[in-house]
Amino acid sequence: MTPIRSALDDMIANPNTLHEQEMRAIYAQVLNELIAANPNVFCVEADLSKATGTNPTVLKAHPDNFVNVGVAEANMIGIAAGLATEGKIPFCASFCCFATRRVYDQITLSVAYANTNVKIVGTGPGVTQGPNGGTHMCFQDLAIMRAMPNMQVFSPCDVYELRSLMHYMANTYGGMYMQLLRPKIPAIFDATYEFKPNQAVRLHEGNDVSLISTGYMTHFALQAARELAGEGIAVDLLHCPSVKPLPIEDIVGSAGKTGAVVVVENQTIIGGLGSAVCETLAERCPVRVKRLGVPDEFGEVASENYLFNKHGFGKTHIVAACREVHHRKA
């Protein structure tokens, strides 16, 4: 039988072109890579495998490692926990709203409390679900998953970080939750990138304002940092792919240097990265912090730009917030 090649195989000669594909396509291709290296890795879906990108990529290449439980997300978590109990490493995916808040009790008991080796993937985080409206727009997944014991929480910003992070997840025991952007996203890193737990990535050096971001918002934060540099405001930009565990030392060090902090996330400002940063700095380095994200509201059917402007956390809002905290500390 001729072995099935993936698009990832075809790109080995030029691995820095992965960002030319959608992130969900790379998610599926990396799952094939992980399964080929370790047959204990499983892909578990709840009838959204085409949206996730694993159908047909993983289904055709590794049908014995592909489980579709149907429209039954709670059952997906239970099956994943059962597989993990038998030594398997399941990656189970669904929309963020279904992968977290719909099955929170099942995750709490069968994954976190039981300390099983289940990897949960939430696709279409925050405003990226704009066309599907408020019912599918989950602004609280980082917050609720962060509050759970025995749970690590990640939000990669591009395909290169996604690939490295998935290798870390597959090779590190424990319950984990990862946000997954689905469309094509510009590259921030390249094929040499290596995810390191408990560490932030400094994308822009500065002494005036600390700007802390994760996932999708890191792209806008980087644009803002470059624009502010043209105004003479030097931004210390920290990208935090890991919301839990939080890169505490990096955050405290940056805040101590600049004395002013802005945090931006594609989430509610209640309980997520912004709250984690505030909690840390209140104990270790009290400075002024401004949180950008979604206020205490539900989403609606709308474009990303409309939602950024309504809630005030797009690129122009990041620039304005950095200006404000910088001028107020003077």
Side-chain angles (χ1 to χ4, degrees), residues 23 27 156 158-166 178 180:
M23 283 189 75
Y27 170 73
D158 73 0
V159 293
Y160 303 105
E161 188 163 62
L162 171 67
R163 185 185 186 191
S164 181
L165 176 55
M166 288 179 67
M178 179 185 76
L180 174 65

Side-chain angles (χ1 to χ4, degrees), residues 164-232:
S164 181
L165 176 55
M166 288 179 67
H167 277 270
Y168 168 82
M169 293 170 72
N171 290 292
T172 306
Y173 189 93
M176 301 179 189
Y177 173 68
M178 179 185 76
Q179 288 186 333
L180 174 65
L181 295 161
R182 294 190 308 193
K184 188 184 297 185
I185 301 293
I188 288 181
F189 303 114
D190 60 28
T192 65
Y193 174 82
E194 181 182 353
F195 169 79
K196 295 179 181 179
N198 300 309
Q199 290 188 26
V201 184
R202 179 170 278 103
L203 297 177
H204 197 277
E205 185 95 28
N207 295 312
D208 293 330
V209 179
S210 297
L211 177 55
I212 302 171
S213 64
T214 190
Y216 189 41
M217 296 313 299
T218 292
H219 294 268
F220 302 95
L222 185 56
Q223 294 170 22
R226 289 168 176 166
E227 181 175 326
L228 287 160
E231 301 179 10

Side-chain angles (χ1 to χ4, degrees), residues 33-50:
E33 184 180 318
L34 294 173
I35 294 168
N38 182 359
N40 284 323
V41 175
F42 270 68
C43 173
V44 186
E45 294 279 356
D47 214 35
L48 284 171
S49 54
K50 288 188 177 179

